[in-house]
Amino acid sequence: MPANTESAHRPPVIVLVRPQLGENIGKAARAMLNFGLTELRLVAPRDGWPNPDAGPSAAGADIVIEQAQVFATTAEAVADCSHVYATTVRRRNDTKPVVSPEEAAAEIHAAAGRSALLFGAERSGLDIQDVSLARKILTVPINPEFSSLNLAQAVILCAYEWSKFETLEQPTVTDQLPPAPQEDLEGLIAHFEQMLEPKDYFFPESRAEMTRRNLRNVLTGAGWNHLEVRTMRGVLTTLARRPR
């Protein structure tokens, strides 16, 4: 599991979800190091890891390739991140805010806690479950008649925008706690579902998936810190007790 840290103004983590070709992973690593990003996380790479095709394509970005971490699921890859952005060229049918790479870069530089940028597989992009883990959707204005970006292009767009803020100094956030990491929110969501299930909240079955997704969107969009998450779980535990 990635180390848990809450320091401000740290470079974002680049997460490639189910990447298909080692060559594309290498090109993405090269794009990262061009603009000062070194932390690469891979979720279930199709051809396994390490991949011999990644090194030559990285063109010298060996530090990124050598330190890349592999995770079985997207949730595990972003468990220590307080700010998760799902990159996609199209608007998903949900209520998440949408930002540009420049807006996301500014937020990441000003934010406390780790940040992660999610990039989907070359052919299919991120699926609904991956996007549901994110706090915001990151997209770019693009030709609607030809909206396909390759993996390295998408990474370099975001890395470049982040690098433009790198020389700016940001004040340390001391008057408020950073948002809770993803694993804390997952615990809160599971707690809600555990209490709501016996009450038939997810009935009828045909709408259960959408209802769960809407609940997740509400809970992940609040920006609670870890103390607020703990308070909410305490409230739920108290409500579940039988009256004396």
Side-chain angles (χ1 to χ4, degrees):
M1 178 179 175
N4 187 15
T5 177
E6 296 180 345
S7 59
H9 191 64
R10 292 193 60 181
V13 174
I14 300 298
V15 182
L16 306 185
V17 181
R18 293 178 294 278
Q20 296 171 291
L21 299 176
E23 178 181 336
N24 289 335
I25 297 173
K27 290 178 179 178
R30 179 181 182 180
M32 289 172 59
L33 195 58
N34 282 154
F35 296 101
L37 301 181
T38 59
E39 190 166 354
L40 174 63
R41 298 178 183 178
L42 307 175
V43 177
R46 186 190 67 180
D47 297 333
W49 191 257
N51 189 311
D53 293 331
S57 298
D62 297 331
I63 186 173
V64 179
I65 295 297
E66 292 169 0
Q67 296 180 1
Q69 296 176 280
V70 180
F71 298 86
T73 67
T74 308
E76 292 172 347
V78 301
D80 65 330
C81 297
S82 301
H83 312 279
V84 180
Y85 296 83
T87 64
T88 176
V89 297
R90 59 189 182 278
R91 178 70 181 267
R92 302 281 179 163
N93 185 25
D94 59 30
T95 59
K96 295 182 187 295
V98 177
V99 295
S100 68
E102 183 177 12
E103 290 169 330
E107 292 176 357
I108 291 169
H109 273 268
R114 298 306 315 268
S115 298
L117 303 176
L118 302 182
F119 297 85
E122 294 91 320
R123 179 169 297 182
S124 58
L126 297 170
D127 63 26
I128 293 176
Q129 286 72 31
D130 297 322
V131 174
S132 72
L133 293 168
R135 312 291 175 88
K136 295 185 178 181
I137 290 173
L138 191 162
T139 191
V140 296
I142 200 166
N143 180 0
E145 297 180 3
F146 191 70
S147 60
S148 176
L149 288 175
N150 69 39
L151 187 56
Q153 287 174 330
V155 171
I156 206 167
L157 270 175
C158 297
Y160 168 67
E161 291 296 343
W162 179 83
S163 73
K164 291 196 302 186
F165 290 84
E166 183 57 13
T167 57
L168 301 180
E169 294 183 1
Q170 297 291 338
T172 302
V173 177
T174 58
D175 58 345
Q176 61 182 6
L177 292 173
Q182 189 68 31
E183 58 188 341
D184 288 0
L185 287 177
E186 291 297 329
L188 178 61
I189 293 168
H191 200 156
F192 263 100
E193 291 184 348
Q194 180 183 2
M195 291 189 63
L196 292 171
E197 190 77 46
K199 306 295 185 181
D200 292 331
Y201 181 78
F202 301 107
F203 183 85
E205 185 65 28
S206 60
R207 294 182 57 83
E209 182 178 353
M210 180 180 296
T211 302
R212 291 179 189 275
R213 188 161 62 247
N214 289 339
L215 176 63
R216 172 179 287 275
N217 286 339
V218 170
L219 295 177
T220 56
W224 289 324
N225 61 50
H226 73 281
L227 292 179
E228 291 168 334
V229 170
R230 186 184 303 172
T231 298
M232 285 298 299
R233 297 200 65 174
V235 169
L236 294 177
T237 300
T238 301
L239 290 174
R241 292 174 185 163
R242 294 182 179 181
R244 295 181 179 177

